Amino acid sequence: FYLRLFLLPSNAALSLFHDDFSISRSLVYPPSTALALAALALTSAVAWVLRKRFPELGFAWGWFLIAHSLESTVFPLELVYEHRNYFAIIGLLILVPMALGRVEKPRSKKLFVTLLAGYLALLGFVTHVRALQWSNHVDWAALEAANHPQSPRAAYELARIYMVLMQSTGEARYGELADQALRASSQAQSPGVLPFIARIQLAYFRGLEPEAELLAAAKEGFADWPYRAVNTATLYSLVTCQVDGRCKLPDAQALEILDAALRNRRLSMADRAEVIKLIAQYRINRLSDLNGGSDLVRQAVQLYDKPESRIMYAQCLALQQKYNEALDELDRADALDRLGTVRRLIERERANIRAARTQ
């Protein structure tokens, strides 16, 4: 795929999101897996055989493979991003002038330069069209969703654009278009929970009640589907929407969605602690249950200790006027923060607690 983007770029293949990329489950599923491996092996074999006569070929091919070795091997990163190809193709680009220098016959050199000029013109045309697409966010989002109908993120991004238009213009038709895009996102392959929660929020933004089936799908997704990094951010958006009063989901149902995430067997300790903290935020800020929320934050600290959790627990203790205990928690947060990433936040909370203690 990366080689094809370089050799024969197409705007239909380009996308900010490639979450619709076909995942290889075996050598024959999809069939392109075996063909791709054979092509890579053949290219590597050719570069090895010609290593003495054309050493630059091995250099260029090795550069390309080594540059992609981090993102395209055993490390559990998202599969495809176009920017990962930028550094990798430098090796292939260096090959062009080196190959041109080997052409001795004027006629052959002229043909080489002509083909190269045509290729550069193709790159320029594709880049120009892509820039035009990106110049209008609405058109860009619509094209991304049309070119990648199985991409949940492309459909969600189109819905997000429509939601912004609905809020800025007040026109109800954009809300309907946003809901259609989110439906498409939820029906794509491996959609995740984001489109379901977004549809719940959109329903309230439009003055409607979310469907019961939508709530059931959201709970099923959090409980049974693979837990992704975006799940925690999605829960945070739901909690914030509920606390702000923009979403009016009954508290029992909102907590059921949060509890569903805790039931996910694939949840890591770190993610479980974050979900518990979100439930604590909900109980404190929405239900005014400071004691219950504080107990939950303490559980999160015991489950997965990190500076941010200690700071949150210190805030809970300070709200209960347990100032000395709160300062002790900030000291522990400071000790955990070896790189100083939240030092300013710790100092700010420490100043606030000391000020509150003297009042």
Side-chain angles (χ1 to χ4, degrees):
F1 176 74
Y2 285 134
L3 279 173
R4 181 157 52 88
L5 285 183
F6 173 64
L7 297 173
L8 294 172
S10 165
N11 276 309
L14 297 172
S15 177
L16 185 62
F17 311 107
H18 288 283
D19 49 334
D20 58 342
F21 202 85
S22 182
I23 299 175
S24 295
R25 305 293 182 184
S26 70
L27 285 175
V28 295
Y29 181 77
S32 57
T33 305
L35 294 174
L37 285 173
L40 292 173
L42 180 61
T43 306
S44 300
V46 170
W48 175 258
V49 171
L50 299 177
R51 67 188 185 280
K52 293 183 178 179
R53 188 176 176 187
F54 301 106
E56 62 269 24
L57 179 60
F59 169 81
W61 185 238
W63 181 299
F64 181 81
L65 293 181
I66 292 170
H68 277 304
S69 63
L70 176 62
E71 296 91 347
S72 304
T73 49
V74 299
F75 299 98
L77 305 176
E78 291 194 46
L79 284 182
V80 180
Y81 279 107
E82 291 162 19
H83 65 263
R84 294 176 181 169
N85 212 21
Y86 297 164
F87 185 74
I89 63 176
I90 291 177
L92 303 179
L93 290 171
I94 291 175
L95 183 63
V96 175
M98 297 176 76
L100 181 59
R102 282 183 169 269
V103 179
E104 297 178 355
K105 296 181 180 180
R107 209 172 199 183
S108 300
K109 183 166 288 192
K110 187 175 182 180
L111 177 61
F112 190 103
V113 172
T114 301
L115 293 174
L116 178 59
Y119 173 68
L120 292 175
L122 172 64
L123 294 183
F125 175 75
V126 172
T127 302
H128 174 67
V129 173
R130 193 68 174 150
L132 288 177
Q133 293 175 356
W134 277 76
S135 65
N136 184 303
H137 282 179
V138 180
D139 291 344
W140 166 77
L143 281 168
E144 294 282 283
N147 290 334
H148 298 269
Q150 288 300 313
S151 168
R153 289 185 186 175
Y156 176 80
E157 182 63 20
L158 178 59
R160 190 188 68 81
I161 295 292
Y162 283 139
M163 282 191 279
V164 171
L165 288 172
M166 179 190 71
Q167 293 172 343
S168 61
T169 65
E171 295 186 28
R173 65 188 179 97
Y174 289 122
E176 179 61 32
L177 289 171
D179 192 59
Q180 290 177 11
L182 287 173
R183 285 178 184 272
S185 180
S186 64
Q187 294 167 3
Q189 60 180 14
S190 303
V193 296
L194 181 59
F196 298 98
I197 296 299
R199 284 195 65 207
I200 292 172
Q201 293 173 316
L202 178 62
Y204 286 117
F205 296 163
R206 299 171 65 198
L208 305 173
E209 284 292 325
E211 305 162 2
E213 296 82 0
L214 190 58
L215 298 173
K219 285 186 279 189
E220 178 188 355
F222 277 112
D224 301 329
W225 297 349
Y227 197 89
R228 303 174 179 175
V230 72
N231 285 22
T232 302
T234 303
L235 286 173
Y236 176 79
S237 71
L238 177 64
V239 170
T240 302
C241 192
Q242 286 283 115
V243 171
D244 292 346
R246 292 176 297 158
C247 295
K248 304 184 185 302
L249 199 64
D251 292 324
Q253 292 184 349
L255 287 172
E256 284 178 5
I257 293 176
L258 290 163
D259 289 336
L262 282 182
R263 295 199 304 273
N264 194 308
R265 295 180 179 179
R266 308 179 195 184
L267 204 62
S268 68
M269 288 294 184
D271 287 328
R272 186 174 298 278
E274 292 303 311
V275 174
I276 291 174
K277 283 159 58 180
L278 286 173
I279 298 174
Q281 287 183 35
Y282 196 95
R283 289 198 169 279
I284 294 171
N285 298 321
R286 174 78 176 177
L287 304 179
S288 300
D289 181 11
L290 180 57
N291 291 330
S294 299
D295 289 341
L296 287 171
V297 178
R298 188 175 66 252
Q299 290 179 31
V301 169
Q302 293 171 348
L303 190 64
Y304 191 82
D305 200 358
K306 66 178 191 176
E308 293 83 354
S309 300
R310 291 282 181 177
I311 294 170
M312 185 176 178
Y313 189 42
Q315 291 170 335
C316 293
L317 292 171
L319 289 172
Q320 299 174 72
Q321 298 184 349
K322 300 177 180 178
Y323 300 122
N324 291 332
E325 294 179 42
L327 290 172
D328 290 341
E329 289 301 320
L330 290 180
D331 290 339
R332 295 187 182 99
D334 201 10
L336 290 170
D337 185 32
R338 296 181 179 86
L339 299 178
T341 55
V342 291
R343 185 165 299 154
R344 289 185 179 180
L345 180 58
I346 293 172
E347 292 304 322
R348 187 180 69 188
E349 290 300 324
R350 187 176 279 130
N352 291 337
I353 292 171
R354 285 171 176 167
R357 186 173 58 178
T358 57
Q359 290 179 357

